[in-house]
Amino acid sequence: MDIMTRLLMCPPTNYSVTYDINPWMTRHVGTGTPDAARQWDRLVETLECAGDVRIEKMEPKPGVPDLVFTANAALISGKLAIMSSFRHPERRREQRTYRSFLAQYGFATSFLQQTFFEGAGDALFDRVRPLLYVGHGWRSERTAATQIAETLGVRTLSLLLVDERFYHLDTCLCPLASGHVLAFMDAFSPHAQTLLRRAIEPEYLIEVSATDALDFACNAVEIGDAIVLHSASPRLRDRLHAAGYRIFATDLSDFHKAGGSAKCLTLKLEDGPAESVAAA
Ligand code: ARG
């Protein structure tokens, strides 16, 4: 039986690419994004179509164009929100807005000590294994994983990201409730690749091609047996169908100009280690 998925999203009223903090933004600084509003509305419709979803909308704010990427608000675990401490000053301005929304929504909020950490962009719970994948290298720092492990009492797998185009973990890894994990392996250091292969059985590790990865296929939202993403090759679709998923693709190209796609535009408001998700 499907349980309702609640997602935090922020309408792109003030979305634009006005600064440059990742390689996707470089080519688009100053570019208007006329289709962003339409693409975002379609994403909402697609999510609502795909399964039992409730979208909680945050009020857009001027001067913080990346506020649409709510995945970076915090890491949610039960009733706790471990808030992001952004690496770039441009995004630090978002912290207060995310925190007051989540606090009003009923979450206890906390921060990690003296470390950059970019929330659910860099920390992803495995849906079956009692494990939290934490990316570091471009945005979050390595010490974030240690602090989260202590705070939540979960086992963390600290993964070094080596390709700047995949600067957040959710651009190159996507753990699914079936136990399958989508991964673009070249985005990880050799050691991180070894850790992933040790943690995930080969038949459950779905290695995506560079083409799919650059289309943000790993940046997918899972809703019950549906996967919502920008696009997926026929080969990847076959793989996901075989794993029991229905695929919903919707154009998010205007958000790729800022380096984000479907998953970055959402934050799951029920999240946590695999055991507690199963028990809930
Ligand atoms: N422009 C944003 C940044 O560079 C995009 C964030 C994408 N979010 C994500 N969870 N990958 O920070």
Side-chain angles (χ1 to χ4, degrees):
M1 195 189 70
D2 282 357
I3 23 170
M4 190 178 57
T5 307
R6 284 186 308 151
L7 298 174
L8 175 62
M9 293 181 71
C10 176
T13 320
N14 300 297
Y15 170 71
S16 64
V17 186
T18 54
Y19 48 77
D20 172 11
I21 57 169
N22 72 52
W24 301 87
M25 300 178 99
T26 309
R27 286 169 297 134
H28 296 287
V29 175
T31 310
T33 51
D35 285 339
R38 195 182 46 82
Q39 291 182 5
W40 190 88
D41 289 344
R42 288 300 304 270
L43 174 62
V44 170
E45 281 168 27
T46 308
L47 290 166
E48 288 174 341
C49 225
D52 196 5
V53 175
R54 181 146 128 217
I55 314 275
E56 305 289 350
K57 289 183 189 153
M58 249 174 71
E59 203 184 311
K61 286 248 158 69
V64 275
D66 277 338
L67 196 69
V68 291
F69 298 113
T70 51
N72 295 122
L75 170 66
I76 302 290
S77 182
K79 294 311 282 173
L80 176 67
I82 302 178
M83 304 305 303
S84 287
S85 306
F86 288 98
R87 183 176 286 267
H88 297 99
E90 292 90 340
R91 293 210 67 186
R92 262 173 237 157
R93 300 193 292 255
E94 299 169 33
Q95 274 166 216
R96 277 180 52 201
T97 311
Y98 287 137
R99 188 185 196 179
S100 66
F101 181 94
L102 291 171
Q104 274 172 33
Y105 204 79
F107 286 98
T109 61
S110 73
F111 285 90
L112 300 180
Q113 298 297 311
Q114 314 224 324
T115 186
F116 295 128
F117 172 59
E118 301 206 351
D122 266 335
L124 301 168
F125 287 105
D126 192 289
R127 303 286 162 200
V128 239
R129 304 165 190 89
L131 200 56
L132 177 73
Y133 304 98
V134 188
H136 67 97
W138 302 110
R139 297 298 181 84
S140 300
E141 290 177 277
R142 198 175 201 291
T143 47
T146 324
Q147 287 190 46
I148 297 168
E150 279 167 18
T151 311
L152 300 181
V154 290
R155 204 181 124 217
T156 54
L157 211 64
S158 190
L159 303 167
L160 176 62
L161 304 174
V162 295
D163 182 332
E164 199 178 1
R165 295 168 301 175
F166 303 95
Y167 57 94
H168 276 142
L169 184 65
D170 68 1
T171 62
C172 50
L173 194 86
C174 181
L176 299 171
S178 60
H180 293 86
V181 178
L182 296 178
F184 175 54
M185 294 305 266
D186 287 349
F188 296 92
S189 71
H191 179 61
Q193 293 186 24
T194 305
L195 292 177
L196 286 170
R197 290 191 197 284
R198 261 191 223 147
I200 306 157
E201 308 74 15
E203 58 277 33
Y204 281 92
L205 184 62
I206 302 182
E207 294 188 38
V208 312
S209 66
T211 311
D212 275 321
L214 289 167
D215 271 339
F216 284 91
C218 296
N219 202 251
V221 185
E222 180 183 17
I223 315 275
D225 68 347
I227 288 179
V228 178
L229 41 59
H230 167 75
S231 84
S233 64
R235 187 162 165 267
L236 180 57
R237 281 171 184 264
D238 287 348
R239 214 39 227 286
L240 290 167
H241 285 146
Y245 287 98
R246 298 175 295 141
I247 314 299
F248 292 77
T250 183
D251 181 14
L252 292 165
S253 50
D254 261 12
F255 295 98
H256 295 185
K257 297 171 181 170
S261 197
K263 151 72 170 60
C264 303
L265 292 165
T266 64
L267 178 71
K268 273 205 163 99
L269 291 169
E270 281 94 18
D271 209 345
E275 316 94 329
S276 67
V277 171

